[in-house]
Amino acid sequence: MKLLEKSQLIKNQEIKAADNLAEFCNVITRNNLDINAFLETNQEQAHQKAREIDFKIKNGKKVGRLAGLVVGIKSNINVEDFHITAASPTLKNYLGSYDATVVKKIKEEDGIILGVTNMDEFAAGSSTETSCFGPTHNPAAPGLIPGGSSGGSAAAVAAGMCDLALGSDTGGSIRNPASHCGVMGFKPTYGAVSRQGLLDLAMSFDQIGPFASDAGGMGLMLDVIVGLDPTECTTLDWQVPNFTREVQDQKERLKGMKVGVVKEFFDVSDGPIVKIIEDRLLQLEESGAQLVELSFEYLDLCLPTYYLINYVEFFSATRKYDGRKYGHRIEEVCGEEVLRRIHMGSYISQKEYSGKYYKKALQARSLIRKEIKSLLKDVDVLIGPTVPKLPHQVGTHLDPMEMYAYDVLTVIANLAGIPAASIPAGDVKGVPVGMQIQAKPQEDVKIIQLLSFVEKNL
Ligand code: GLN
């Protein structure tokens, strides 16, 4: 059932919030041990909330936009009274003492927060294998990774353990697992959603965003979380669209929509993935979109630029985990990838090297941003694969460069600050493949329109 319909049925008392929740709790009981999507749930508290919502509805009281819908939150976003560990031993005993702005908003709109989800340690990864709580498994492709770093949130939605989930995306961590798990994932324009209460990976890239199984769910969650937050200085003050209305609107929007197809995005992707996306593009063309061939010269620069900046910002963000406030000194307990980033970040941040690496990375970032914006000038969106290769078997040894290679097509949106989403486009022998849609800053709504169109028509 589509989420907008379900939300309406809950408000009409045709589905009880308590029953909706109970169904998810059953799936969790049956499957979470194998999938490891949720790290912690509070089912009692969730049931209490569900009963309150049903009671309000029964008595004709107004309820919020997410009334009765069940939500999972990535465990690097603060939720009061849950262990917010970022899947690291560093924070193993840290209990969230407040709600992040996005969490507050979800609660205000009567969303039911069921629990917190698994992830790569401190969101540094693309496979959800570096969690200190063990890997998450891909519910859509048994034996394979779910992608990462928000693999728990993507898997929770894909496995039917909640209606909606939040993740964070620094270089693709929402879109990548959405692609591998066969669900939708949305990274809004940088600044569209408050990061207050999110544990930083690299703050100039980080964005919180939703996972959903359909465009209506995506619209509902975006309507709730997008908007200015006076307590977070990077949030944008802008005319926020009504995302849900855009999904409901049946207009034939594709007529004349210009879709940029960047040759290099396909050159770096595996054949079966290219084939799926090309088929989708042809269908879009048949439906009235105009395809425009484009070229992006700087693709090779994207990964080095992203990772250099990531190392430096992450190093600085982790200085507070020195063992005084949070129990453990990060370097003493963290995993290999986190340690690598701390060491690299510390090295690059030294004064004598900053000109050589960090300043160069910032220059490269400006160049990439300028080029992407200029590509987007003449088209409405860019469409291509989300991830260039298929997910590996859980436990396979990959060297860092092989792991980073998953991110080549997703880091671009973070470097440029633009909105981007992944939508299921097909599968290779049952393994889901996502299609990425990117747009100009603050044109998130064009992506929603496309998600809705693709879902309904292709
Ligand atoms: N895989 C990328 C990294 O490890 C992206 C992570 C993210 O978006 N949180 O940095």
mmCIF file of all heavy atoms in Angstrom, residues 211-252:
data_model
loop_
_atom_site.group_PDB
_atom_site.id
_atom_site.type_symbol
_atom_site.label_atom_id
_atom_site.label_comp_id
_atom_site.label_asym_id
_atom_site.label_seq_id
_atom_site.Cartn_x
_atom_site.Cartn_y
_atom_site.Cartn_z
ATOM 1 N N PHE A 211 14.560 7.920 3.719
ATOM 2 C CA PHE A 211 14.374 6.708 2.910
ATOM 3 C C PHE A 211 12.879 6.411 2.912
ATOM 4 O O PHE A 211 12.222 6.541 3.959
ATOM 5 C CB PHE A 211 15.039 5.499 3.562
ATOM 6 C CG PHE A 211 16.535 5.512 3.511
ATOM 7 C CD1 PHE A 211 17.280 6.017 4.560
ATOM 8 C CD2 PHE A 211 17.204 4.993 2.403
ATOM 9 C CE1 PHE A 211 18.663 6.012 4.521
ATOM 10 C CE2 PHE A 211 18.589 4.980 2.353
ATOM 11 C CZ PHE A 211 19.326 5.489 3.417
ATOM 12 N N ALA A 212 12.365 5.956 1.765
ATOM 13 C CA ALA A 212 10.957 5.553 1.709
ATOM 14 C C ALA A 212 10.806 4.531 0.609
ATOM 15 O O ALA A 212 11.668 4.418 -0.270
ATOM 16 C CB ALA A 212 10.075 6.764 1.414
ATOM 17 N N SER A 213 9.712 3.787 0.659
ATOM 18 C CA SER A 213 9.498 2.840 -0.426
ATOM 19 C C SER A 213 8.714 3.473 -1.569
ATOM 20 O O SER A 213 8.592 2.880 -2.632
ATOM 21 C CB SER A 213 8.785 1.590 0.087
ATOM 22 O OG SER A 213 7.661 1.989 0.831
ATOM 23 N N ASP A 214 8.180 4.676 -1.356
ATOM 24 C CA ASP A 214 7.512 5.334 -2.485
ATOM 25 C C ASP A 214 7.623 6.854 -2.391
ATOM 26 O O ASP A 214 8.037 7.406 -1.361
ATOM 27 C CB ASP A 214 6.052 4.876 -2.615
ATOM 28 C CG ASP A 214 5.190 5.229 -1.410
ATOM 29 O OD1 ASP A 214 5.337 6.340 -0.876
ATOM 30 O OD2 ASP A 214 4.369 4.386 -1.002
ATOM 31 N N ALA A 215 7.237 7.511 -3.506
ATOM 32 C CA ALA A 215 7.426 8.961 -3.605
ATOM 33 C C ALA A 215 6.545 9.715 -2.609
ATOM 34 O O ALA A 215 6.947 10.761 -2.080
ATOM 35 C CB ALA A 215 7.124 9.414 -5.032
ATOM 36 N N GLY A 216 5.365 9.187 -2.340
ATOM 37 C CA GLY A 216 4.474 9.840 -1.389
ATOM 38 C C GLY A 216 5.089 9.880 0.002
ATOM 39 O O GLY A 216 5.039 10.905 0.696
ATOM 40 N N GLY A 217 5.691 8.779 0.406
ATOM 41 C CA GLY A 217 6.351 8.722 1.714
ATOM 42 C C GLY A 217 7.506 9.705 1.771
ATOM 43 O O GLY A 217 7.726 10.388 2.777
ATOM 44 N N MET A 218 8.218 9.766 0.665
ATOM 45 C CA MET A 218 9.341 10.697 0.584
ATOM 46 C C MET A 218 8.846 12.133 0.750
ATOM 47 O O MET A 218 9.419 12.929 1.496
ATOM 48 C CB MET A 218 9.940 10.508 -0.822
ATOM 49 C CG MET A 218 11.302 10.977 -1.012
ATOM 50 S SD MET A 218 12.373 10.240 0.188
ATOM 51 C CE MET A 218 13.207 9.046 -0.712
ATOM 52 N N GLY A 219 7.748 12.453 0.045
ATOM 53 C CA GLY A 219 7.175 13.799 0.121
ATOM 54 C C GLY A 219 6.736 14.127 1.540
ATOM 55 O O GLY A 219 7.018 15.215 2.052
ATOM 56 N N LEU A 220 6.053 13.168 2.178
ATOM 57 C CA LEU A 220 5.565 13.392 3.542
ATOM 58 C C LEU A 220 6.724 13.730 4.479
ATOM 59 O O LEU A 220 6.666 14.687 5.251
ATOM 60 C CB LEU A 220 4.900 12.116 4.068
ATOM 61 C CG LEU A 220 3.418 11.912 3.815
ATOM 62 C CD1 LEU A 220 3.011 10.509 4.275
ATOM 63 C CD2 LEU A 220 2.592 12.964 4.535
ATOM 64 N N MET A 221 7.788 12.938 4.409
ATOM 65 C CA MET A 221 8.910 13.157 5.317
ATOM 66 C C MET A 221 9.633 14.469 4.990
ATOM 67 O O MET A 221 10.011 15.216 5.896
ATOM 68 C CB MET A 221 9.869 11.968 5.270
ATOM 69 C CG MET A 221 10.979 12.036 6.273
ATOM 70 S SD MET A 221 10.428 12.286 7.986
ATOM 71 C CE MET A 221 10.538 10.643 8.636
ATOM 72 N N LEU A 222 9.797 14.767 3.703
ATOM 73 C CA LEU A 222 10.471 16.027 3.349
ATOM 74 C C LEU A 222 9.659 17.217 3.846
ATOM 75 O O LEU A 222 10.214 18.191 4.361
ATOM 76 C CB LEU A 222 10.676 16.117 1.833
ATOM 77 C CG LEU A 222 11.766 15.213 1.261
ATOM 78 C CD1 LEU A 222 11.735 15.238 -0.272
ATOM 79 C CD2 LEU A 222 13.161 15.620 1.743
ATOM 80 N N ASP A 223 8.345 17.145 3.715
ATOM 81 C CA ASP A 223 7.510 18.247 4.198
ATOM 82 C C ASP A 223 7.727 18.496 5.684
ATOM 83 O O ASP A 223 7.616 19.620 6.155
ATOM 84 C CB ASP A 223 6.019 17.953 3.943
ATOM 85 C CG ASP A 223 5.639 18.253 2.502
ATOM 86 O OD1 ASP A 223 6.338 19.060 1.858
ATOM 87 O OD2 ASP A 223 4.650 17.672 2.016
ATOM 88 N N VAL A 224 8.026 17.452 6.409
ATOM 89 C CA VAL A 224 8.201 17.597 7.853
ATOM 90 C C VAL A 224 9.609 18.104 8.205
ATOM 91 O O VAL A 224 9.775 18.976 9.049
ATOM 92 C CB VAL A 224 7.915 16.247 8.565
ATOM 93 C CG1 VAL A 224 8.313 16.303 10.030
ATOM 94 C CG2 VAL A 224 6.439 15.892 8.430
ATOM 95 N N ILE A 225 10.625 17.596 7.536
ATOM 96 C CA ILE A 225 11.996 17.909 8.011
ATOM 97 C C ILE A 225 12.671 19.093 7.315
ATOM 98 O O ILE A 225 13.610 19.668 7.859
ATOM 99 C CB ILE A 225 12.936 16.673 7.943
ATOM 100 C CG1 ILE A 225 13.114 16.176 6.505
ATOM 101 C CG2 ILE A 225 12.448 15.565 8.864
ATOM 102 C CD1 ILE A 225 14.151 15.060 6.375
ATOM 103 N N VAL A 226 12.205 19.468 6.114
ATOM 104 C CA VAL A 226 12.871 20.572 5.410
ATOM 105 C C VAL A 226 12.455 21.905 6.030
ATOM 106 O O VAL A 226 11.294 22.080 6.381
ATOM 107 C CB VAL A 226 12.504 20.556 3.901
ATOM 108 C CG1 VAL A 226 12.986 21.830 3.209
ATOM 109 C CG2 VAL A 226 13.124 19.337 3.217
ATOM 110 N N GLY A 227 13.398 22.817 6.162
ATOM 111 C CA GLY A 227 13.039 24.158 6.630
ATOM 112 C C GLY A 227 14.100 24.776 7.519
ATOM 113 O O GLY A 227 14.959 24.084 8.068
ATOM 114 N N LEU A 228 14.008 26.094 7.638
ATOM 115 C CA LEU A 228 14.970 26.861 8.428
ATOM 116 C C LEU A 228 14.951 26.423 9.890
ATOM 117 O O LEU A 228 13.888 26.208 10.462
ATOM 118 C CB LEU A 228 14.589 28.342 8.336
ATOM 119 C CG LEU A 228 15.458 29.312 9.129
ATOM 120 C CD1 LEU A 228 16.845 29.437 8.512
ATOM 121 C CD2 LEU A 228 14.794 30.685 9.214
ATOM 122 N N ASP A 229 16.145 26.293 10.465
ATOM 123 C CA ASP A 229 16.252 25.997 11.894
ATOM 124 C C ASP A 229 17.095 27.109 12.515
ATOM 125 O O ASP A 229 18.287 27.191 12.255
ATOM 126 C CB ASP A 229 16.944 24.630 12.075
ATOM 127 C CG ASP A 229 17.189 24.289 13.541
ATOM 128 O OD1 ASP A 229 16.804 25.087 14.419
ATOM 129 O OD2 ASP A 229 17.756 23.216 13.797
ATOM 130 N N PRO A 230 16.482 27.964 13.307
ATOM 131 C CA PRO A 230 17.225 29.097 13.872
ATOM 132 C C PRO A 230 18.412 28.650 14.727
ATOM 133 O O PRO A 230 19.336 29.430 14.948
ATOM 134 C CB PRO A 230 16.193 29.813 14.743
ATOM 135 C CG PRO A 230 14.881 29.185 14.456
ATOM 136 C CD PRO A 230 15.089 27.892 13.753
ATOM 137 N N THR A 231 18.418 27.385 15.170
ATOM 138 C CA THR A 231 19.533 26.936 16.002
ATOM 139 C C THR A 231 20.675 26.345 15.168
ATOM 140 O O THR A 231 21.664 25.887 15.722
ATOM 141 C CB THR A 231 19.093 25.855 17.016
ATOM 142 O OG1 THR A 231 18.808 24.639 16.297
ATOM 143 C CG2 THR A 231 17.865 26.274 17.795
ATOM 144 N N GLU A 232 20.520 26.323 13.857
ATOM 145 C CA GLU A 232 21.566 25.710 13.022
ATOM 146 C C GLU A 232 21.876 26.656 11.879
ATOM 147 O O GLU A 232 21.065 26.832 10.971
ATOM 148 C CB GLU A 232 21.060 24.344 12.527
ATOM 149 C CG GLU A 232 22.160 23.370 12.171
ATOM 150 C CD GLU A 232 22.518 23.377 10.711
ATOM 151 O OE1 GLU A 232 23.362 24.205 10.304
ATOM 152 O OE2 GLU A 232 21.954 22.530 9.970
ATOM 153 N N CYS A 233 23.085 27.247 11.934
ATOM 154 C CA CYS A 233 23.346 28.400 11.066
ATOM 155 C C CYS A 233 23.542 28.055 9.589
ATOM 156 O O CYS A 233 23.549 28.940 8.754
ATOM 157 C CB CYS A 233 24.548 29.172 11.591
ATOM 158 S SG CYS A 233 26.039 28.177 11.502
ATOM 159 N N THR A 234 23.678 26.777 9.242
ATOM 160 C CA THR A 234 23.806 26.497 7.806
ATOM 161 C C THR A 234 22.463 26.202 7.140
ATOM 162 O O THR A 234 22.413 25.958 5.946
ATOM 163 C CB THR A 234 24.774 25.319 7.520
ATOM 164 O OG1 THR A 234 24.282 24.149 8.176
ATOM 165 C CG2 THR A 234 26.179 25.606 7.982
ATOM 166 N N THR A 235 21.374 26.217 7.898
ATOM 167 C CA THR A 235 20.086 25.934 7.222
ATOM 168 C C THR A 235 19.655 27.133 6.391
ATOM 169 O O THR A 235 19.928 28.286 6.727
ATOM 170 C CB THR A 235 18.939 25.568 8.195
ATOM 171 O OG1 THR A 235 18.853 26.542 9.213
ATOM 172 C CG2 THR A 235 19.099 24.195 8.775
ATOM 173 N N LEU A 236 18.970 26.820 5.313
ATOM 174 C CA LEU A 236 18.559 27.845 4.357
ATOM 175 C C LEU A 236 17.217 28.450 4.734
ATOM 176 O O LEU A 236 16.321 27.744 5.195
ATOM 177 C CB LEU A 236 18.382 27.209 2.972
ATOM 178 C CG LEU A 236 19.617 26.615 2.310
ATOM 179 C CD1 LEU A 236 19.198 25.724 1.146
ATOM 180 C CD2 LEU A 236 20.519 27.746 1.835
ATOM 181 N N ASP A 237 17.115 29.753 4.472
ATOM 182 C CA ASP A 237 15.846 30.439 4.631
ATOM 183 C C ASP A 237 15.272 30.578 3.221
ATOM 184 O O ASP A 237 15.719 31.415 2.457
ATOM 185 C CB ASP A 237 16.126 31.822 5.239
ATOM 186 C CG ASP A 237 14.847 32.484 5.686
ATOM 187 O OD1 ASP A 237 13.776 31.873 5.527
ATOM 188 O OD2 ASP A 237 14.925 33.616 6.198
ATOM 189 N N TRP A 238 14.366 29.726 2.857
ATOM 190 C CA TRP A 238 13.862 29.737 1.468
ATOM 191 C C TRP A 238 12.396 29.353 1.440
ATOM 192 O O TRP A 238 11.827 28.905 2.436
ATOM 193 C CB TRP A 238 14.688 28.819 0.563
ATOM 194 C CG TRP A 238 14.723 27.362 0.982
ATOM 195 C CD1 TRP A 238 15.058 26.876 2.220
ATOM 196 C CD2 TRP A 238 14.414 26.207 0.186
ATOM 197 N NE1 TRP A 238 14.999 25.500 2.225
ATOM 198 C CE2 TRP A 238 14.615 25.057 0.996
ATOM 199 C CE3 TRP A 238 14.024 26.021 -1.148
ATOM 200 C CZ2 TRP A 238 14.412 23.756 0.527
ATOM 201 C CZ3 TRP A 238 13.831 24.713 -1.609
ATOM 202 C CH2 TRP A 238 14.026 23.603 -0.784
ATOM 203 N N GLN A 239 11.818 29.563 0.269
ATOM 204 C CA GLN A 239 10.410 29.227 0.062
ATOM 205 C C GLN A 239 10.308 27.719 -0.073
ATOM 206 O O GLN A 239 10.579 27.160 -1.124
ATOM 207 C CB GLN A 239 9.967 29.914 -1.246
ATOM 208 C CG GLN A 239 8.477 29.904 -1.499
ATOM 209 C CD GLN A 239 7.724 30.748 -0.473
ATOM 210 O OE1 GLN A 239 8.215 31.785 -0.038
ATOM 211 N NE2 GLN A 239 6.558 30.270 -0.064
ATOM 212 N N VAL A 240 9.926 27.059 1.007
ATOM 213 C CA VAL A 240 9.912 25.592 0.982
ATOM 214 C C VAL A 240 8.683 25.102 0.216
ATOM 215 O O VAL A 240 7.572 25.535 0.486
ATOM 216 C CB VAL A 240 9.891 25.028 2.423
ATOM 217 C CG1 VAL A 240 9.824 23.513 2.403
ATOM 218 C CG2 VAL A 240 11.123 25.491 3.195
ATOM 219 N N PRO A 241 8.882 24.241 -0.772
ATOM 220 C CA PRO A 241 7.732 23.751 -1.543
ATOM 221 C C PRO A 241 6.887 22.759 -0.737
ATOM 222 O O PRO A 241 7.329 22.285 0.301
ATOM 223 C CB PRO A 241 8.378 23.036 -2.726
ATOM 224 C CG PRO A 241 9.797 22.838 -2.389
ATOM 225 C CD PRO A 241 10.149 23.635 -1.179
ATOM 226 N N ASN A 242 5.701 22.473 -1.260
ATOM 227 C CA ASN A 242 4.890 21.417 -0.655
ATOM 228 C C ASN A 242 5.154 20.136 -1.439
ATOM 229 O O ASN A 242 4.604 19.911 -2.523
ATOM 230 C CB ASN A 242 3.416 21.810 -0.712
ATOM 231 C CG ASN A 242 2.535 20.779 -0.029
ATOM 232 O OD1 ASN A 242 2.800 19.585 -0.099
ATOM 233 N ND2 ASN A 242 1.497 21.237 0.627
ATOM 234 N N PHE A 243 6.020 19.297 -0.891
ATOM 235 C CA PHE A 243 6.475 18.113 -1.616
ATOM 236 C C PHE A 243 5.345 17.118 -1.843
ATOM 237 O O PHE A 243 5.227 16.532 -2.906
ATOM 238 C CB PHE A 243 7.634 17.452 -0.872
ATOM 239 C CG PHE A 243 8.895 18.273 -0.869
ATOM 240 C CD1 PHE A 243 9.274 19.004 0.240
ATOM 241 C CD2 PHE A 243 9.712 18.306 -1.997
ATOM 242 C CE1 PHE A 243 10.436 19.763 0.239
ATOM 243 C CE2 PHE A 243 10.876 19.053 -2.012
ATOM 244 C CZ PHE A 243 11.245 19.791 -0.885
ATOM 245 N N THR A 244 4.515 16.938 -0.821
ATOM 246 C CA THR A 244 3.439 15.952 -0.951
ATOM 247 C C THR A 244 2.483 16.346 -2.081
ATOM 248 O O THR A 244 2.045 15.504 -2.868
ATOM 249 C CB THR A 244 2.657 15.844 0.375
ATOM 250 O OG1 THR A 244 3.597 15.748 1.429
ATOM 251 C CG2 THR A 244 1.768 14.632 0.388
ATOM 252 N N ARG A 245 2.190 17.640 -2.154
ATOM 253 C CA ARG A 245 1.276 18.077 -3.214
ATOM 254 C C ARG A 245 1.877 17.783 -4.592
ATOM 255 O O ARG A 245 1.188 17.373 -5.516
ATOM 256 C CB ARG A 245 0.966 19.569 -3.061
ATOM 257 C CG ARG A 245 -0.224 19.951 -3.903
ATOM 258 C CD ARG A 245 -0.654 21.403 -3.778
ATOM 259 N NE ARG A 245 -0.694 21.900 -2.430
ATOM 260 C CZ ARG A 245 -0.182 23.096 -2.074
ATOM 261 N NH1 ARG A 245 0.404 23.867 -2.964
ATOM 262 N NH2 ARG A 245 -0.257 23.496 -0.829
ATOM 263 N N GLU A 246 3.179 17.970 -4.691
ATOM 264 C CA GLU A 246 3.839 17.697 -5.980
ATOM 265 C C GLU A 246 3.703 16.226 -6.372
ATOM 266 O O GLU A 246 3.640 15.880 -7.537
ATOM 267 C CB GLU A 246 5.326 18.056 -5.898
ATOM 268 C CG GLU A 246 5.600 19.516 -5.701
ATOM 269 C CD GLU A 246 5.205 20.361 -6.903
ATOM 270 O OE1 GLU A 246 5.155 19.810 -8.019
ATOM 271 O OE2 GLU A 246 4.946 21.566 -6.705
ATOM 272 N N VAL A 247 3.701 15.353 -5.372
ATOM 273 C CA VAL A 247 3.566 13.915 -5.670
ATOM 274 C C VAL A 247 2.140 13.613 -6.126
ATOM 275 O O VAL A 247 1.916 12.836 -7.058
ATOM 276 C CB VAL A 247 3.902 13.060 -4.419
ATOM 277 C CG1 VAL A 247 3.617 11.591 -4.684
ATOM 278 C CG2 VAL A 247 5.356 13.253 -4.014
ATOM 279 N N GLN A 248 1.182 14.280 -5.475
ATOM 280 C CA GLN A 248 -0.223 13.990 -5.792
ATOM 281 C C GLN A 248 -0.640 14.555 -7.146
ATOM 282 O O GLN A 248 -1.511 14.029 -7.806
ATOM 283 C CB GLN A 248 -1.135 14.560 -4.695
ATOM 284 C CG GLN A 248 -1.077 13.721 -3.432
ATOM 285 C CD GLN A 248 -1.579 14.472 -2.217
ATOM 286 O OE1 GLN A 248 -1.380 15.681 -2.091
ATOM 287 N NE2 GLN A 248 -2.224 13.765 -1.315
ATOM 288 N N ASP A 249 0.019 15.652 -7.520
ATOM 289 C CA ASP A 249 -0.315 16.322 -8.759
ATOM 290 C C ASP A 249 -0.052 15.413 -9.952
ATOM 291 O O ASP A 249 1.030 14.885 -10.081
ATOM 292 C CB ASP A 249 0.605 17.549 -8.868
ATOM 293 C CG ASP A 249 -0.138 18.707 -9.456
ATOM 294 O OD1 ASP A 249 -1.159 18.445 -10.095
ATOM 295 O OD2 ASP A 249 0.307 19.847 -9.273
ATOM 296 N N GLN A 250 -1.044 15.247 -10.813
ATOM 297 C CA GLN A 250 -0.879 14.284 -11.909
ATOM 298 C C GLN A 250 -0.415 14.934 -13.215
ATOM 299 O O GLN A 250 -0.387 14.285 -14.246
ATOM 300 C CB GLN A 250 -2.214 13.566 -12.170
ATOM 301 C CG GLN A 250 -2.756 12.806 -10.979
ATOM 302 C CD GLN A 250 -2.028 11.484 -10.776
ATOM 303 O OE1 GLN A 250 -1.436 10.959 -11.703
ATOM 304 N NE2 GLN A 250 -2.055 10.953 -9.562
ATOM 305 N N LYS A 251 -0.081 16.217 -13.164
ATOM 306 C CA LYS A 251 0.265 16.935 -14.403
ATOM 307 C C LYS A 251 1.319 16.184 -15.218
ATOM 308 O O LYS A 251 2.186 15.532 -14.669
ATOM 309 C CB LYS A 251 0.813 18.313 -14.049
ATOM 310 C CG LYS A 251 -0.238 19.393 -14.115
ATOM 311 C CD LYS A 251 0.440 20.736 -13.958
ATOM 312 C CE LYS A 251 0.124 21.357 -12.619
ATOM 313 N NZ LYS A 251 1.118 22.174 -12.030
ATOM 314 N N GLU A 252 1.229 16.375 -16.533
ATOM 315 C CA GLU A 252 2.230 15.719 -17.386
ATOM 316 C C GLU A 252 3.498 16.555 -17.425
ATOM 317 O O GLU A 252 3.766 17.284 -18.354
ATOM 318 C CB GLU A 252 1.676 15.602 -18.801
ATOM 319 C CG GLU A 252 0.838 14.391 -18.997
ATOM 320 C CD GLU A 252 0.524 14.228 -20.451
ATOM 321 O OE1 GLU A 252 1.371 13.677 -21.168
ATOM 322 O OE2 GLU A 252 -0.541 14.697 -20.861
#
